[in-house]
Short mmCIF file of all heavy atoms in Angstrom, two decimals:
data_model
loop_
_atom_site.label_atom_id
_atom_site.label_comp_id
_atom_site.label_asym_id
_atom_site.label_seq_id
_atom_site.Cartn_x
_atom_site.Cartn_y
_atom_site.Cartn_z
N ALA A 93 32.38 31.06 -9.26
CA ALA A 93 32.98 30.61 -8.01
C ALA A 93 32.03 31.08 -6.90
O ALA A 93 30.84 30.84 -6.94
CB ALA A 93 34.38 31.16 -7.85
N ASP A 94 32.57 31.79 -5.91
CA ASP A 94 31.71 32.36 -4.86
C ASP A 94 31.21 33.73 -5.28
O ASP A 94 31.78 34.38 -6.15
CB ASP A 94 32.50 32.50 -3.55
CG ASP A 94 32.65 31.16 -2.82
OD1 ASP A 94 32.09 30.15 -3.34
OD2 ASP A 94 33.31 31.12 -1.78
N GLY A 95 30.14 34.15 -4.62
CA GLY A 95 29.61 35.49 -4.81
C GLY A 95 29.38 36.13 -3.45
O GLY A 95 29.30 35.44 -2.42
N LEU A 96 29.27 37.45 -3.42
CA LEU A 96 29.08 38.18 -2.16
C LEU A 96 28.26 39.44 -2.43
O LEU A 96 28.55 40.16 -3.37
CB LEU A 96 30.45 38.57 -1.58
CG LEU A 96 30.44 39.43 -0.32
CD1 LEU A 96 29.85 38.65 0.85
CD2 LEU A 96 31.85 39.89 0.01
N GLY A 97 27.23 39.66 -1.60
CA GLY A 97 26.40 40.83 -1.73
C GLY A 97 26.04 41.45 -0.40
O GLY A 97 25.77 40.71 0.56
N PHE A 98 26.02 42.77 -0.32
CA PHE A 98 25.70 43.47 0.93
C PHE A 98 25.45 44.95 0.63
O PHE A 98 25.55 45.38 -0.54
CB PHE A 98 26.83 43.32 1.96
CG PHE A 98 28.16 43.77 1.48
CD1 PHE A 98 28.64 45.07 1.73
CD2 PHE A 98 28.99 42.93 0.75
CE1 PHE A 98 29.87 45.49 1.27
CE2 PHE A 98 30.23 43.34 0.27
CZ PHE A 98 30.67 44.63 0.54
N VAL A 99 25.18 45.74 1.66
CA VAL A 99 24.98 47.16 1.50
C VAL A 99 26.10 47.90 2.23
O VAL A 99 26.46 47.54 3.35
CB VAL A 99 23.61 47.61 2.08
CG1 VAL A 99 23.48 49.14 2.02
CG2 VAL A 99 22.49 46.96 1.29
N ARG A 100 26.65 48.88 1.58
CA ARG A 100 27.72 49.69 2.19
C ARG A 100 27.22 51.11 2.39
O ARG A 100 26.37 51.62 1.69
CB ARG A 100 28.96 49.71 1.31
CG ARG A 100 28.72 50.24 -0.07
CD ARG A 100 29.95 50.80 -0.73
NE ARG A 100 30.38 52.03 -0.08
CZ ARG A 100 31.17 52.93 -0.66
NH1 ARG A 100 31.58 52.74 -1.90
NH2 ARG A 100 31.55 54.01 -0.03
N GLY A 101 27.79 51.75 3.39
CA GLY A 101 27.52 53.16 3.65
C GLY A 101 28.69 53.99 3.18
O GLY A 101 29.63 53.52 2.54
N GLY A 102 28.64 55.28 3.52
CA GLY A 102 29.77 56.16 3.20
C GLY A 102 29.88 56.54 1.75
O GLY A 102 30.94 57.02 1.30
N TRP A 103 28.81 56.31 0.94
CA TRP A 103 28.86 56.72 -0.44
C TRP A 103 28.60 58.22 -0.49
O TRP A 103 27.49 58.66 -0.25
CB TRP A 103 27.80 55.94 -1.24
CG TRP A 103 27.94 56.04 -2.71
CD1 TRP A 103 29.06 56.38 -3.41
CD2 TRP A 103 26.90 55.81 -3.68
NE1 TRP A 103 28.80 56.36 -4.75
CE2 TRP A 103 27.49 56.01 -4.97
CE3 TRP A 103 25.57 55.43 -3.60
CZ2 TRP A 103 26.76 55.87 -6.14
CZ3 TRP A 103 24.86 55.28 -4.76
CH2 TRP A 103 25.44 55.49 -6.02
N GLN A 104 29.60 58.97 -0.79
CA GLN A 104 29.51 60.41 -0.63
C GLN A 104 28.43 61.04 -1.50
O GLN A 104 28.32 60.76 -2.68
CB GLN A 104 30.87 61.06 -0.96
CG GLN A 104 31.95 60.71 0.03
CD GLN A 104 33.23 61.48 -0.25
OE1 GLN A 104 33.32 62.29 -1.16
NE2 GLN A 104 34.25 61.24 0.58
N ASN A 105 27.63 61.90 -0.86
CA ASN A 105 26.56 62.64 -1.52
C ASN A 105 26.43 63.97 -0.76
O ASN A 105 25.51 64.15 0.04
CB ASN A 105 25.24 61.88 -1.50
CG ASN A 105 24.18 62.53 -2.36
OD1 ASN A 105 24.39 63.57 -2.98
ND2 ASN A 105 23.01 61.91 -2.43
N PRO A 106 27.38 64.90 -1.00
CA PRO A 106 27.41 66.14 -0.21
C PRO A 106 26.07 66.90 -0.22
O PRO A 106 25.53 67.18 -1.28
CB PRO A 106 28.51 66.96 -0.91
CG PRO A 106 29.36 65.93 -1.59
CD PRO A 106 28.42 64.85 -2.02
N GLN A 107 25.55 67.15 0.99
CA GLN A 107 24.30 67.88 1.18
C GLN A 107 23.13 67.25 0.43
O GLN A 107 22.17 67.89 0.10
CB GLN A 107 24.48 69.35 0.74
CG GLN A 107 25.53 70.09 1.55
CD GLN A 107 25.66 71.53 1.11
OE1 GLN A 107 25.08 71.97 0.10
NE2 GLN A 107 26.44 72.30 1.86
N LEU A 108 23.27 65.94 0.16
CA LEU A 108 22.22 65.17 -0.52
C LEU A 108 21.80 65.88 -1.83
O LEU A 108 20.62 65.91 -2.17
CB LEU A 108 21.02 64.96 0.40
CG LEU A 108 21.31 64.15 1.68
CD1 LEU A 108 20.05 64.06 2.53
CD2 LEU A 108 21.83 62.78 1.32
N MET A 109 22.77 66.38 -2.56
CA MET A 109 22.49 67.10 -3.78
C MET A 109 22.03 66.13 -4.88
O MET A 109 21.27 66.51 -5.79
CB MET A 109 23.70 67.87 -4.24
CG MET A 109 24.08 69.01 -3.29
SD MET A 109 25.55 69.94 -3.86
CE MET A 109 24.96 70.61 -5.38
N LEU A 110 22.49 64.89 -4.85
CA LEU A 110 22.08 63.92 -5.85
C LEU A 110 20.85 63.17 -5.38
O LEU A 110 20.66 62.98 -4.16
CB LEU A 110 23.23 62.90 -6.09
CG LEU A 110 24.54 63.52 -6.60
CD1 LEU A 110 25.62 62.46 -6.69
CD2 LEU A 110 24.33 64.18 -7.96
N PRO A 111 19.99 62.72 -6.29
CA PRO A 111 18.74 62.05 -5.89
C PRO A 111 18.96 60.59 -5.47
O PRO A 111 18.46 59.66 -6.07
CB PRO A 111 17.89 62.14 -7.17
CG PRO A 111 18.91 62.15 -8.28
CD PRO A 111 20.09 62.92 -7.75
N ARG A 112 19.78 60.41 -4.48
CA ARG A 112 20.06 59.07 -3.93
C ARG A 112 20.54 59.22 -2.50
O ARG A 112 20.86 60.31 -2.05
CB ARG A 112 21.12 58.36 -4.77
CG ARG A 112 22.47 59.09 -4.81
CD ARG A 112 23.55 58.23 -5.40
NE ARG A 112 24.81 58.91 -5.55
CZ ARG A 112 25.69 59.13 -4.57
NH1 ARG A 112 25.41 58.73 -3.33
NH2 ARG A 112 26.82 59.78 -4.81
N SER A 113 20.64 58.08 -1.81
CA SER A 113 21.13 58.12 -0.44
C SER A 113 22.62 57.90 -0.42
O SER A 113 23.26 57.83 -1.47
CB SER A 113 20.43 57.00 0.37
OG SER A 113 20.96 55.73 -0.02
N THR A 114 23.17 57.83 0.79
CA THR A 114 24.60 57.55 0.93
C THR A 114 24.87 56.06 1.07
O THR A 114 25.99 55.65 1.33
CB THR A 114 25.17 58.29 2.16
OG1 THR A 114 24.44 57.88 3.32
CG2 THR A 114 25.05 59.80 1.99
N LEU A 115 23.81 55.23 0.95
CA LEU A 115 23.95 53.79 0.98
C LEU A 115 23.98 53.25 -0.45
O LEU A 115 23.39 53.80 -1.35
CB LEU A 115 22.78 53.14 1.73
CG LEU A 115 22.61 53.57 3.19
CD1 LEU A 115 21.39 52.85 3.78
CD2 LEU A 115 23.84 53.24 4.01
N GLN A 116 24.67 52.14 -0.64
CA GLN A 116 24.78 51.53 -1.95
C GLN A 116 24.85 50.01 -1.82
O GLN A 116 25.64 49.48 -1.03
CB GLN A 116 26.06 52.04 -2.66
CG GLN A 116 26.21 51.53 -4.08
CD GLN A 116 27.50 51.99 -4.73
OE1 GLN A 116 28.53 52.02 -4.09
NE2 GLN A 116 27.41 52.38 -6.01
N ALA A 117 24.02 49.35 -2.58
CA ALA A 117 24.10 47.89 -2.65
C ALA A 117 25.22 47.48 -3.60
O ALA A 117 25.26 47.96 -4.75
CB ALA A 117 22.76 47.32 -3.12
N VAL A 118 26.10 46.63 -3.14
CA VAL A 118 27.22 46.18 -3.96
C VAL A 118 27.31 44.66 -3.92
O VAL A 118 26.82 44.03 -2.97
CB VAL A 118 28.55 46.81 -3.50
CG1 VAL A 118 28.53 48.30 -3.65
CG2 VAL A 118 28.87 46.42 -2.06
N ALA A 119 27.95 44.09 -4.90
CA ALA A 119 28.14 42.65 -4.93
C ALA A 119 29.39 42.33 -5.74
O ALA A 119 29.88 43.12 -6.54
CB ALA A 119 26.92 41.95 -5.57
N TYR A 120 29.94 41.14 -5.49
CA TYR A 120 31.15 40.67 -6.17
C TYR A 120 30.91 39.27 -6.71
O TYR A 120 30.25 38.46 -6.07
CB TYR A 120 32.34 40.66 -5.20
CG TYR A 120 32.81 42.06 -4.81
CD1 TYR A 120 32.21 42.73 -3.77
CD2 TYR A 120 33.83 42.66 -5.50
CE1 TYR A 120 32.62 44.01 -3.40
CE2 TYR A 120 34.26 43.93 -5.15
CZ TYR A 120 33.65 44.58 -4.10
OH TYR A 120 34.07 45.85 -3.76
N ARG A 121 31.47 39.02 -7.88
CA ARG A 121 31.37 37.67 -8.48
C ARG A 121 32.51 37.46 -9.44
O ARG A 121 33.26 38.41 -9.80
CB ARG A 121 30.05 37.55 -9.23
CG ARG A 121 29.96 38.39 -10.51
CD ARG A 121 28.61 38.27 -11.18
NE ARG A 121 28.56 39.04 -12.43
CZ ARG A 121 27.46 39.27 -13.12
NH1 ARG A 121 26.30 38.76 -12.68
NH2 ARG A 121 27.50 39.96 -14.25
N LEU A 122 32.66 36.23 -9.88
CA LEU A 122 33.70 35.84 -10.85
C LEU A 122 33.03 35.31 -12.10
O LEU A 122 32.24 34.36 -12.02
CB LEU A 122 34.62 34.78 -10.26
CG LEU A 122 35.79 34.31 -11.16
CD1 LEU A 122 36.77 35.42 -11.37
CD2 LEU A 122 36.48 33.10 -10.55
#
């Protein structure tokens, strides 16, 4: 059907302890 893709913020990573940012690319599909 339709699809949707974008980047979201607010992905928790306290004190940047994990080797990634607080941004995450996400998408939706059927």
Side-chain angles (χ1 to χ4, degrees):
D94 283 357
L96 175 66
F98 55 95
V99 174
R100 58 155 292 201
W103 192 22
Q104 293 186 1
N105 189 359
Q107 299 180 353
L108 298 179
M109 295 180 63
L110 300 175
R112 60 168 176 79
S113 73
T114 58
L115 300 179
Q116 183 183 42
V118 296
Y120 290 84
R121 70 183 181 188
L122 181 68

